[in-house]
Amino acid sequence: MMQHGVDLRLLDLQGKTCLHHAVTGGSIVAVHYLWETGMFRYSDTDMYQVSSLHLAASTSNTEVVRYLLRNQRCAVNAVDQQGGTALHVAAEHGSVEVCWTLLQRAGYWMLHQKNHQGLTPLDLSKQGKTFRHQQLTKLLCRYINEPIHQMPKESHALYYWTLLYPSLSGAVIFLVSAAVGGYGGLLCGLLFPWLASSIFTQFHRLTTYQSMVHFALLLGLLCKILTQDPGTLDRADSDPRFSCIADLLFQPDHSKHCKLCDVCVEDYDHHCLFLNRCVGRGNHRLFLVFLLAMAAAHLLFIATAASYLSGKMAAVGRYNTWGGVTEAAVTWSTWLPFLAAEFWVAVLACMNALTLVWEAWVLREQFDAIAGGTTTYFQQSEAEAGRPRSLGQRWAAIFSFLLEGRRGVARRQGRADKMAIDI
């Protein structure tokens, strides 16, 4: 645009510059480039005294807020025409992560600062009705009684405990549910909502690094699946009752020769075309954990994208929430430019949603087979198998499989069969 003679110094009707719109769009690269031109300053405001930090807080973009606070690019205590700071704006929008970032930089004194209407950030947060406003209100109430001259201290021990808390707590819930047997499903239905609620109360500590840890976990699981033996059958494990012509082996029950891998696999489930690997006794549990982790990653992306798009759309639908209350109806004329500007976010959210539907279908098929004590390839209906199971027994079988794997379940089933024969 600059090469074609666009004047970057032009202002819109509210006095906003190109830098302000780059901040609203969330592009740190564009913001830094415009600053390097020497035409703009980070401290520039529009006609309502709204600074770049106010705009970044209104869009709930934590990364842009951190960029503007770095090296004192923007004053954290700057106020707009209504006397509101960036913390007031973030509290009004229910942005827990932005409020936490601002408090870490400024200190507890910002919680006591009032705008021209006499409202503190806590008062604005209490006016919100969403779940994020409720969580933010709890966070601000916790810190408002702290000495105003102190800064929030980030405990590394608390951070890593919060980071590992979901996995450790989920593992404990699985263990307890497997131990109680038929009531395991009911116990999970009660405890997992409580776990999710407790995780969201500390979400402001986990936004960036948890995504990195989740990505590293997925990458590690993928490498493990690609390298782990799916349960290749050798002659020592063969059964003389059945034979495989291709391998000249005697196959035990639930074994099958894969023509693509050219091996016989114990407890054969399927050949995954995406991984180009067989799924069998050796890696079935790992494959299921990988599916669950992928579903969690896609669900997290969809939730994050929905939160980001709703915040951006709220900023489009309300031109100015702090400097003069000017409402604008959200119509197609505002939707189309908005979707064009956020095209890739919307497309990726839709792709993740479609992938999540496919993963849910695959997980359902896997859970049905595991609950029946078999694999998807050898799966029979409960009527054909002659052993109908209750819902609690099915969930107990799934949790036992996740904890012990196919070998552990087979050993336990073998001991139960031997005990029945002895009786």
Side-chain angles (χ1 to χ4, degrees), residues 177-187 367-374 382 386-402 409 412-413:
S177 300
V180 299
Y183 295 97
L186 177 62
L187 186 63
F367 286 158
D368 283 344
I370 293 170
T374 181
E382 292 187 346
R387 47 177 181 181
R389 294 184 176 187
S390 64
L391 181 61
Q393 290 174 331
R394 294 170 65 85
W395 278 111
I398 294 171
F399 293 146
S400 298
F401 178 83
L402 290 173
V409 174
R412 188 153 48 82
Q413 185 65 35

Side-chain angles (χ1 to χ4, degrees), residues 206-219:
L206 304 175
T207 49
T208 302
Y209 296 103
Q210 191 177 45
S211 300
M212 296 172 58
V213 172
H214 200 167
F215 176 76
L217 175 62
L218 289 174
L219 187 61

Side-chain angles (χ1 to χ4, degrees), residues 330-373:
V330 180
T331 61
W332 280 110
S333 61
T334 56
W335 266 105
L336 292 178
F338 170 73
L339 291 178
E342 304 295 340
F343 175 75
W344 282 112
V345 178
V347 169
L348 289 174
C350 293
M351 292 176 62
N352 277 267
L354 293 175
T355 307
L356 184 63
V357 172
W358 173 76
E359 288 168 344
W361 175 77
V362 174
L363 285 171
R364 179 183 177 277
E365 294 293 321
Q366 289 289 329
F367 286 158
D368 283 344
I370 293 170

